[in-house]
Amino acid sequence: MFGKLLPIKQITLPNGKVVTEKRTLTPFVVVAILLLTYFSAVITGFNVATIMKRIGQFFVILQQMVPPTWTYFPHIWQPLLDTIKMSLLGSLLGALCALPLAVLAASNITKWKWLSVTMKLLLSLLRTLPTLIAALIATFVFGLGTVAGTVAIFLFTIAYVGKLGYEQIENANMEAYEAMHSMGLTTIQSFRYAILPQILPNYLSVSLFCFEGNVRYASILGYVGAGGIGLLLNESLGWRNYANVGMILLLLVVTVFFIETISEHYRKKLM
């Protein structure tokens, strides 16, 4: 649209033929980005001087985390297992429920356009809802504990895997699907034998990647009473016991690294 407002440059070739060249929008894009960055800094109150003045406090806290309180390890083990369990259960159930929703949202599979639009809108709403807010709402419905955290992770996984899932379905090769449909197979049967084999590796890979992130997200759900290691983290930060915080973060980093290594290994095999 903006390209039509710019004058078109005409170039005459040696053979006398005249060709047109569109003007580039790069300078306008760069200026727009700079202006937006400036106004964002003004609105948010971003101050480089304050950051440079207070950045040293960050390293003071890091120094207080080292060495961590090794004797605190027995208190962390069970909440860490709770975090992993609610991440695994929420991710598994969310990935399983996301697949049928993705099929309903795919415009090339669903016959009714209103249903496809509704499912896409639902997934967008779930994706817009922050996991922490979902966990806060879940604590009011299901009470404090890991059930609320599991529900929050479940909803986030549905939104994340479902969004990428219906995009993969819409980009799939439909020739085999249409051929099976014309032979009398139902929509579910045609999807099972023609579309599912195409999207299955990416679907499993995305689900594993989502599980990796959910382990990290679950560690802060304790701030709203959703259980897991976040409860200990919130408590230690509240009491300014940074040595305990260092122990919690160390164990969490090791756990996440271990899970990511295994997940990356299997994702490479799937791709």
Side-chain angles (χ1 to χ4, degrees), residues 2 16-17 21 33 39-40 51 67 83 101 118 165 172 178 189 265:
F2 295 103
K17 184 178 180 181
E21 179 184 6
I33 292 175
F39 286 115
S40 298
I51 293 178
T83 298
L101 291 180
T118 303
E178 293 171 354
Q189 290 174 329
H265 171 74

Side-chain angles (χ1 to χ4, degrees), residues 134-165:
L136 181 61
I137 297 173
T139 55
F140 287 106
V141 178
F142 302 101
L144 301 177
T146 55
V147 175
T150 304
V151 170
I153 293 173
F154 167 75
L155 294 176
F156 172 77
T157 304
I158 286 181
Y160 186 84
V161 178
K163 160 71 173 176
L164 297 179

Side-chain angles (χ1 to χ4, degrees), residues 62-70 242-244 246-247:
L62 288 181
Q63 290 175 359
Q64 295 179 7
M65 291 183 184
V66 181
T69 308
W70 298 103
Y242 295 117
N244 286 356
M247 188 65 222

Side-chain angles (χ1 to χ4, degrees), residues 235-251:
E235 178 184 346
S236 298
L237 286 172
W239 288 103
R240 302 295 191 269
N241 194 336
Y242 295 117
N244 286 356
V245 173
M247 188 65 222
I248 295 172
L249 294 180
L250 176 61
L251 192 58

